Amino acid sequence: MRDGIPRFVPEDNYAKSFGYQWNAHRLTQLDSYVGLPVSRDRLLRESGWTADELQDREVLECGSGAGRFTEVLCQTGAAVTSFDISKAVDANATSNGRFANLRLLQASIYDLPLVDESFDYLVCLGVIQHTPDVERSFKTIFRYLRPGGKFCIDVYAAIVAYPHLRQLLRPVTKRIPPGKLYSVVQSVAPRLLPVSMRLGAVPRVGDYLTRLVPVANHRHLGLTDSQTLRTWTILDTFDWLSPQFERPQPRRRLERWCRDLRLSEFEIERIRGLYVVRGTK
Ligand SMILES: C[S@@+](CC[C@H](N)C(=O)[O-])C[C@H]1O[C@@H](n2cnc3c(N)ncnc32)[C@H](O)[C@@H]1O
């Protein structure tokens, strides 16, 4: 236990770049900070759930980062258990610690101090492609969901038609200490953003052209304020270039894992570069 958070992993682990990132950007993606329901819309759109149905339910959130979805879940009145392997939990605690319905842990998917089949809902967004064994991560989290419980997990889609220049850079950039890499991203990404914007505006092929510039471009999110857009660009460009693991998955493999788990109902939807897997256990 440190700073009121139970800790079940070594301080120094493979996800330390995430700890750095989410403490540097504790507020950036929180709806309450942005003033727009970006995270709320994404969570409800991907899961197909309503905020009302979550009230008083036991919800497990895996890999919560700075807590953009933790905030949304807590606001529904659910009893939320949220964990992350990295020091991101400290940022989450600072922002969302005020919610009496939140229990936060620093722990790994692979070794959770939780009771099997004790949750009604399972949420895991933006996480499992960043773990060393994606199949094991995917299958392990279902242990904690009760039969008949609902789940929503998203994962980077492995799509042949979706190459991006950043994929060539990451094998090198992930070896750079987080503080140094962050300084480079902070100075270079804002300069590349206008280039990416111009390419993105080219009719029909704009989306493909932006992939030639290794900078996160969130023009589709409706962030109208240029300072907000710039900050999201720095955060997500770092998020692309720094993780130790990034393993996108093909749809067929996800289908196979769902069948292995004998889920009573599931569907897989592609949303931009993600596969969203949702259903009932
Ligand atoms: C890209 S961030 C997404 C955070 C949050 N879900 C969001 O969408 O803002 C991925 C998170 O997964 C966490 N993570 C990676 N491996 C993990 C593991 N084995 N157990 C728990 N969390 C893990 C990282 O520390 C990081 O905060």
Side-chain angles (χ1 to χ4, degrees), residues 169-264:
L169 298 177
R170 201 184 58 86
V172 176
T173 52
K174 74 176 186 179
R175 295 189 160 78
I176 302 173
K180 273 196 188 154
L181 177 63
Y182 187 80
S183 302
V184 175
V185 169
Q186 202 177 18
S187 105
V188 175
R191 286 187 242 168
L192 290 179
L193 183 58
V195 180
S196 174
M197 284 292 192
R198 279 199 288 278
L199 292 173
V202 176
R204 286 193 299 280
V205 290
D207 266 357
Y208 296 95
L209 294 178
T210 56
R211 294 181 208 155
L212 299 170
V213 185
V215 69
N217 180 336
H218 290 298
R219 67 195 187 289
H220 60 281
L221 287 182
L223 302 169
T224 45
D225 170 52
S226 62
Q227 182 56 35
T228 303
L229 197 56
R230 183 178 178 277
T231 313
W232 280 58
T233 291
I234 293 169
L235 164 59
D236 275 340
T237 303
F238 181 83
D239 181 280
W240 282 357
L241 298 176
S242 58
Q244 293 307 297
F245 302 105
E246 184 184 297
R247 298 185 166 144
Q249 299 298 317
R251 183 190 284 265
R252 287 232 168 118
R253 194 176 296 159
L254 296 167
E255 283 167 354
R256 176 162 55 77
W257 295 346
C258 288
R259 283 197 301 273
D260 291 349
L261 286 162
R262 297 179 192 285
L263 301 170
S264 70

